[in-house]
Amino acid sequence: MNSKGGRGNQRGGFDRRRSKPKNTPEVEEQPYDFSFLVTDYITAQTTPMLENVRRKIEEGAEGVPIPSLASEILLASFVKDMRTWFKEEVRKELFTYPQKETLNRWLFDMLATPSESIAGEVGNNLLKYPMRLKDDPDVIARELFLSIPMRIKPSYPDTQRLKSDAIEYRKVSMQFLTRMKTRFEKQAETDEQTRKDLEQLEGDLLAFDPAILHIHVLEARLKTASESATTFVSKYLKSDVHGICNRLADLAMEYSTKKPAFTDDDFEVVLTAEGIEHTVEAKYVVKLPDNLSHSLDLKFKLSSIHFYKLRELYKRTSGKRFDPEMKMFSKLLFILLRRYHTFFGTERFEGTSFHAAAPENIFRRLKSFLEVSQECFASPLNCFFSQFCSAFPEIDVFFGSLGSFFDYDIAEGSFECGPPYTLECMDRTAKHIIRTLDKSENRRPIMFVVFVPEWRVPPAQYHLDLEESAYTRFHFCAPGGKHYYVSGEQHEPKCIASKGALTNEKVGRYYLVPHGTHVYFVCNDAGFKRYAKGSEDYLEKAADDILRVLMDPLDRNDNNMHYARDYVTIGNGELIDWSTKEVKTDQVQEPKLKMGLKG
């Protein structure tokens, strides 16, 4: 992966002669670009271990580590039980339920840790470095603090939702106040600060009564009450929360001692197709163990488009010399699906928000304007290009993965970078990008187009790092509620049958992003000269077109678009005049329209 060639042969995409299953939606072209190899455009290197595996797959050499289906099922069962334990432990100890993605944020925190940054720890592929949680529990503790007594939304454009949440918060906060007064009553008798903190908490919570508050002040008062509770909890329940984190770390470490009571030979993977969907199922050929029979999903439905996409990725990566007869495809496909569903979790929409992606036309524009040819964060399920960085290279490598972005040593190339929306992962991403550009010393061109959420109250560290960096040439924020992303469940048949939010349907391919999405164009001087043609105007025009496609992913209105410079925000989210870099006195976004570029 550390060699760079020319443009290479422009290889074709899917075999269009294949007859489509009945009822499959007509697609004029496959929504992906597999026409080239990333190695024709990118100079980079991943870990020596993964480089060796990739080389063996490409050469068809012996010794390729094949993931175990039995071990994957054991992992899925263990993680599911761990999720249940965590929810019950939080309910029992803290009298609340954690947000459904709290545990996933911890999993991503481990996945975002470079493989060589922690020595002496042995972790599973998904449960990497679990003992770090004992030393640094903030990734879970912060989420739990915000969940007590109840998590509220950052903002409430919907007054009905505001009223219902306010009424519910009043109810649970009174129960919470009673428990805190009972628990810390004796401590308050001897400690003046505890007494004052309890009085402050009681005053703030009792002052919040949605039955008498006007709707115009309800949201502000709700936030005040919530902040008061969070302040109290983070101070007085800190040991309780950290205790849960310690026990969770110990539980996760138990997986390394477990061995499956079955083997890969005990399963038969069966592929079936009907209409617009394929089914991938691992059938236990004898008798499924009791502890798995009623709790674990061994059957996954996949849209036909994604099935053929994954088959094509496998052919290109593993089907040349490693597995030319595709004998291992079904097994590895099941392991791939089982791994991502293990990570996503079992609740509705749990984890899939981390798997959302920019619309396909965004990638086409990025490739056309800025020669972007690789994604820094993707999966075989949601990737646009045939090679990408991903979270689980031990299985993804057979479908084109180049390893973790945080293990990726980049020397040249233009990249799309959309990290999962966790603070830890996005902060590390910003720092990794800046370190990469520092290290380049401008010898070779490097550019990143970074997509991150507009989290501004307070400003997230990744915003501060990217805004203050001299490598950031331009940036803008697509406004919340006015642009679209592709669902993290895009691989499921239900998302193929409907366009979702674009047609006012709740379930489908696209969803309306409620928060702003900030786009940063970050590059060294050589990257600016190569990919942006050395022109700020050219870069802004590319940004204009990217903004337009975010707001209209199907290109339904080709003639009109907005100026990206009208959407530049900094600090706490204030709009600025890009020419003067001064904060605008008028903070209302009323952008002008202009003719769009054709990519």
Side-chain angles (χ1 to χ4, degrees), residues 308-419:
Y308 290 115
K309 169 192 178 181
L310 290 167
R311 190 178 69 172
E312 182 71 11
L313 285 172
Y314 186 84
K315 281 182 178 180
R316 289 174 176 272
T317 304
S318 305
K320 294 179 180 178
R321 296 180 180 178
F322 169 70
D323 185 20
E325 297 181 7
M326 304 284 285
K327 291 182 178 180
M328 299 187 64
F329 172 66
S330 297
K331 171 184 173 179
L332 293 174
L333 176 61
F334 174 84
I335 294 174
L336 174 78
L337 294 173
R338 182 60 270 177
R339 172 63 62 86
Y340 278 91
H341 280 79
T342 298
F343 171 73
F344 292 157
T346 56
E347 292 188 34
R348 180 168 173 76
F349 300 127
E350 181 181 7
T352 54
S353 62
F354 295 125
H355 196 241
E360 291 83 4
N361 280 328
I362 289 292
F363 291 95
R364 293 191 179 97
R365 294 304 196 277
L366 290 174
K367 183 173 183 288
S368 174
F369 286 120
L370 302 173
E371 299 183 48
V372 168
S373 56
Q374 185 182 333
E375 297 147 89
C376 297
F377 296 91
S379 79
L381 296 169
N382 72 359
C383 65
F384 180 80
F385 299 118
S386 61
Q387 292 171 299
F388 45 88
C389 289
S390 69
F392 307 115
E394 65 278 359
I395 177 62
D396 296 345
V397 67
F398 296 96
F399 297 86
S401 173
L402 301 173
S404 168
F405 173 65
F406 298 104
D407 292 328
Y408 209 44
D409 187 7
I410 296 170
E412 181 176 349
S414 184
F415 303 83
E416 184 272 345
C417 184

Side-chain angles (χ1 to χ4, degrees), residues 391-552:
F392 307 115
E394 65 278 359
I395 177 62
D396 296 345
V397 67
F398 296 96
F399 297 86
S401 173
L402 301 173
S404 168
F405 173 65
F406 298 104
D407 292 328
Y408 209 44
D409 187 7
I410 296 170
E412 181 176 349
S414 184
F415 303 83
E416 184 272 345
C417 184
Y421 288 2
T422 73
L423 284 172
E424 294 77 16
C425 188
M426 291 186 288
D427 287 349
R428 286 178 190 160
T429 297
K431 288 177 170 51
H432 185 60
I433 286 173
I434 293 171
R435 281 197 302 268
T436 297
L437 293 170
D438 283 341
K439 183 180 176 181
S440 74
E441 296 180 350
N442 208 35
R443 290 189 297 269
R444 290 184 176 182
I446 301 176
M447 173 176 280
F448 297 93
V449 184
V450 186
F451 295 76
V452 286
E454 184 76 340
W455 292 352
R456 293 286 188 175
V457 185
Q461 187 61 46
Y462 59 84
H463 279 308
L464 300 178
D465 289 344
L466 292 173
E467 284 173 10
E468 295 171 2
S469 173
Y471 297 118
T472 298
R473 296 290 184 144
F474 186 72
H475 61 97
F476 70 90
C477 178
K482 295 183 179 180
H483 70 285
Y484 300 85
Y485 255 45
V486 177
S487 168
E489 298 179 318
Q490 62 166 281
H491 55 284
E492 297 188 5
K494 64 184 179 183
C495 285
I496 295 298
S498 165
K499 290 185 175 63
L502 288 174
T503 51
N504 296 320
E505 295 179 80
K506 291 184 178 180
V507 177
R509 184 167 184 77
Y510 298 97
Y511 71 94
L512 192 64
V513 182
H515 53 74
T517 295
H518 211 106
V519 184
Y520 291 93
F521 299 83
V522 192
C523 59
N524 58 13
D525 289 341
F528 180 68
K529 182 178 180 180
R530 162 73 182 275
Y531 303 119
K533 318 302 182 189
S535 168
E536 292 183 359
D537 287 342
Y538 181 87
L539 190 60
E540 279 196 48
K541 288 177 181 178
D544 291 341
D545 217 43
I546 290 168
L547 174 60
R548 178 176 68 85
V549 175
L550 282 172
M551 300 175 79
D552 184 15

Side-chain angles (χ1 to χ4, degrees), residues 142-249:
R142 180 176 58 250
E143 294 297 309
L144 292 181
F145 291 154
L146 292 171
S147 298
I148 304 172
M150 171 183 155
R151 185 75 171 260
I152 66 170
K153 289 182 171 295
S155 62
Y156 285 91
D158 182 353
T159 56
Q160 287 302 116
R161 180 61 183 271
L162 171 60
K163 290 178 181 178
S164 63
D165 275 14
I167 293 171
E168 180 65 18
Y169 191 88
R170 169 71 175 184
K171 174 184 174 182
V172 298
S173 66
M174 291 299 99
Q175 297 169 350
F176 165 71
L177 178 61
T178 299
R179 286 193 295 268
M180 293 301 99
K181 290 174 68 175
T182 301
R183 175 170 175 176
F184 294 102
E185 184 177 16
K186 290 185 178 180
Q187 181 177 327
E189 292 176 357
T190 58
D191 183 75
E192 180 68 14
Q193 188 59 51
T194 302
R195 183 185 64 79
K196 289 182 178 180
D197 290 342
L198 267 177
E199 289 177 352
Q200 180 69 45
L201 176 68
E202 182 175 21
D204 289 340
L205 294 184
L206 290 177
F208 175 70
D209 187 352
I212 62 175
L213 289 172
H214 193 279
I215 189 66
H216 290 160
V217 299
L218 187 58
E219 183 172 352
R221 292 290 186 88
L222 175 60
K223 288 184 177 180
T224 299
S226 177
E227 289 168 0
S228 180
T230 300
T231 299
F232 186 89
V233 166
S234 60
K235 181 176 181 179
Y236 289 97
L237 299 186
K238 183 176 181 179
S239 60
D240 302 64
V241 170
H242 286 189
I244 292 175
C245 293
N246 287 339
R247 295 193 293 277
L248 177 62

Side-chain angles (χ1 to χ4, degrees), residues 5-41:
R7 296 289 181 184
N9 294 327
Q10 298 295 306
R11 299 185 296 173
F14 289 78
D15 183 358
R16 303 191 189 282
R17 294 171 297 178
R18 172 182 57 80
S19 60
K20 296 181 180 179
K22 187 178 180 181
N23 298 327
T24 299
E26 291 294 325
V27 180
E28 293 183 2
E29 58 179 296
Q30 286 290 345
Y32 314 104
D33 186 353
F34 296 166
S35 63
F36 62 91
L37 287 175
V38 167
T39 45
D40 295 335
Y41 294 79

